[in-house]
């Protein structure tokens, strides 16, 4: 295993310290317990908190800032944070208007955020939670009951964050987040496994000429292992189940996210975007917003995921609203 780390036990704390130092104008870090919070700490709006296992950067810490998250709670690599830092982060962003937890559908995340919400409520904080479950690949996995939460989480965080930033109530912000969850679908592919620092070995096995369709962001199995195919054929395998699920129909306007898993160069992601846009156009679906790059990764895994969000005027306006985070920044 070759990684730019020191002691595997200190990977998350050292990364959080480095992140906060590099982006001191946007975030500050708590070390006991560990979480990231907006440097400007607004107190006149609904607070937005998300989090989960580390290793998916820039999710979630990279999305803390104006117009998006108010705090992010990182666990150990691919491991949910415990309730204590979630409670602390929730208290840190509570300005009296309530706090929304955005939770990916993984069993540990769901249970620990539920416990944290109960503890925060006992301290007088009004907390709501939404569960992101955008992955169409499998119904259940090693880590979930129901569908997994994957790259669509970024879109939920951006749009709900914009609603909170403009002054919406907790009920309104929750409703917007649930609307995005209902209208976004994702599916991914792995070309290679990744190596978790404390494990020191690949998280799953693929032959040199194999890929896994429908992989999860922790290396969970997907729908099938197949021989490597051209990019267009892979995109077609991912996009078909996404478009059939809601279903998306001719005349829809959508946001298309082509998300890298950490080890895939941008040149390949744009080849995938090209094909996905072609397929959508052939179906009469108009891509009016797009995002290409590494936003929900799996350490150094080679692969990608596609996410398609059905837009309307409200969601488009909230997507376009100003944002200033380490990983997303426009309009400000």
């Amino acid at each position: 295993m070759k990684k730019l780390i020191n002691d595997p036990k200190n990977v998350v704390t050292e990364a959080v310290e480095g992140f906060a130092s590099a982006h001191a104008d946007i975030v500050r870090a708590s070390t006991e317990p560990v979480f990231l919070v907006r440097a400007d700490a607004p107190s006149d709006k609904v607070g937005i908190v998300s989090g989960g296992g580390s290793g998916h950067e820039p999710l979630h810490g990279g999305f803390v800032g104006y117009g998006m998250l108010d705090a992010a709670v990182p666990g150990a690599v691919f491991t949910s944070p415990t309730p204590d830092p979630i409670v602390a982060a929730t208290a840190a962003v509570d300005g009296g208007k309530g706090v929304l937890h955005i939770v990916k559908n993984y069993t540990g995340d769901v249970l620990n955020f539920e416990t944290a919400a109960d503890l925060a409520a006992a301290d007088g904080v009004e907390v709501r939670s939404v569960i992101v479950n955008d992955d169409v690949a499998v119904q259940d996995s090693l880590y979930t009951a129901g569908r997994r939460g994957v790259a669509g989480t970024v879109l939920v965080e951006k749009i709900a964050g914009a609603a909170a930033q403009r002054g919406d109530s907790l009920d309104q912000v929750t409703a917007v987040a649930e609307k995005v969850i209902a209208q976004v679908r994702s599916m991914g592919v792995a070309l290679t496994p990744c190596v978790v620092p404390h494990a020191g070995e690949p998280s799953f096995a693929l032959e040199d000429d194999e890929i896994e369709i429908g992989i999860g962001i922790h290396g969970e199995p997907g729908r099938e292992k197949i021989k490597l195919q051209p990019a267009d054929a892979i995109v077609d395998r991912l996009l078909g189940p996404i478009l059939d699920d809601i279903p998306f129909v001719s005349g829809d306007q959508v946001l298309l996210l082509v998300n890298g898993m950490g080890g895939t160069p941008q040149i390949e992601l744009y080849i995938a975007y090209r094909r996905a846009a072609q397929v959508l156009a052939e179906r009469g679906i108009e891509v009016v917003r797009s995002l290409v790059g590494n936003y929900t990764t799996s350490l150094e895994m080679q692969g990608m995921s596609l996410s398609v969000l059905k837009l309307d005027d409200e969601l488009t306006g909230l997507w376009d609203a100003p944002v200033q985070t380490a990983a997303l920044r426009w309009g400000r």
Side-chain angles (χ1 to χ4, degrees):
M1 178 180 72
K2 294 180 180 178
K3 288 186 178 291
L4 289 171
I5 62 173
N6 298 306
D7 186 332
K9 297 191 295 292
N10 298 330
V11 165
V12 173
T13 54
E14 290 180 356
V16 167
E17 289 172 4
F19 181 86
S21 178
H23 302 289
D25 58 323
I26 299 174
V27 302
R28 60 179 177 84
S30 167
T31 55
E32 291 293 337
V34 175
F35 64 89
L36 290 158
V37 66
R38 277 177 64 169
D40 55 358
S43 59
D44 58 347
K45 60 181 283 297
V46 170
I48 308 283
V49 177
S50 192
S54 296
H56 305 303
E57 290 74 23
L59 195 77
H60 296 273
F63 303 122
V64 173
Y66 182 93
M68 210 160 173
L69 298 179
D70 295 293
V73 189
V77 173
F78 293 179
T79 303
S80 172
T82 59
D84 286 350
I86 303 171
V87 172
T90 301
V93 305
D94 175 41
K97 295 191 175 182
V99 177
L100 176 66
H101 288 170
I102 298 175
V103 187
K104 301 188 304 302
N105 190 32
Y106 292 96
T107 300
D109 289 1
V110 171
L111 292 176
N112 287 337
F113 270 89
E114 282 180 353
T115 300
D118 290 342
L119 293 170
D123 290 335
V125 181
E126 185 177 7
V127 179
R128 303 284 175 80
S129 297
V130 295
I131 308 298
V132 185
N133 58 352
D134 53 309
D135 186 9
V136 303
V138 292
Q139 183 61 35
D140 298 288
S141 74
L142 298 176
Y143 296 85
T144 62
R147 293 179 169 184
R148 304 175 292 215
V150 290
T153 308
V154 177
L155 312 185
V156 180
E157 292 177 353
K158 168 63 182 79
I159 291 172
Q165 192 67 59
R166 73 181 178 186
D168 285 12
S169 69
L170 183 57
D171 285 344
Q172 291 170 324
V173 174
T174 303
V176 164
E178 289 174 339
K179 183 178 181 180
V180 179
I181 292 167
Q183 295 182 190
V184 63
R185 298 293 185 271
S186 304
M187 190 166 169
V189 60
L191 280 63
T192 66
C194 60
V195 177
V196 177
H198 62 262
E201 59 186 26
S203 53
F204 58 97
L206 283 174
E207 298 297 329
D208 288 344
D209 62 346
E210 280 186 329
I211 61 175
E212 180 126 17
I213 300 291
I215 197 77
I217 57 175
H218 306 96
E220 311 96 311
R223 288 189 172 189
E224 57 181 340
K225 290 181 181 179
I226 63 171
K227 298 297 184 182
L228 179 63
Q229 297 181 341
D232 285 2
I234 294 171
V235 168
D236 290 353
R237 279 180 173 268
L238 299 179
L239 200 52
I242 290 172
L243 297 181
D244 293 342
D245 194 82
I246 287 183
F248 293 85
V249 297
S250 179
D252 283 345
Q253 293 188 330
V254 301
L255 185 158
L256 172 60
L257 165 60
V258 179
N259 172 68
M261 292 293 193
T264 304
Q266 289 261 336
I267 192 170
E268 296 177 23
L269 298 180
Y270 281 107
I271 290 171
Y273 180 92
R274 167 187 171 275
R275 176 58 182 170
Q278 287 176 345
V279 173
L280 291 166
E282 290 166 0
R283 295 202 181 197
I285 299 168
E286 183 182 5
V287 178
V288 296
R289 298 292 184 274
S290 58
L291 191 64
V292 180
N294 289 315
Y295 295 100
T296 303
T297 62
S298 187
L299 294 170
E300 79 279 25
M301 182 189 290
Q302 289 182 297
M304 65 160 184
S305 63
L306 303 178
S307 299
V308 182
L309 168 64
K310 185 180 294 190
L311 292 171
D312 57 22
D313 289 344
E314 178 187 34
L315 297 187
T316 302
L318 289 169
W319 178 258
D320 290 345
V323 60
Q324 185 176 2
T325 70
L328 284 184
R329 186 178 302 198
W330 58 71
R332 190 169 189 253

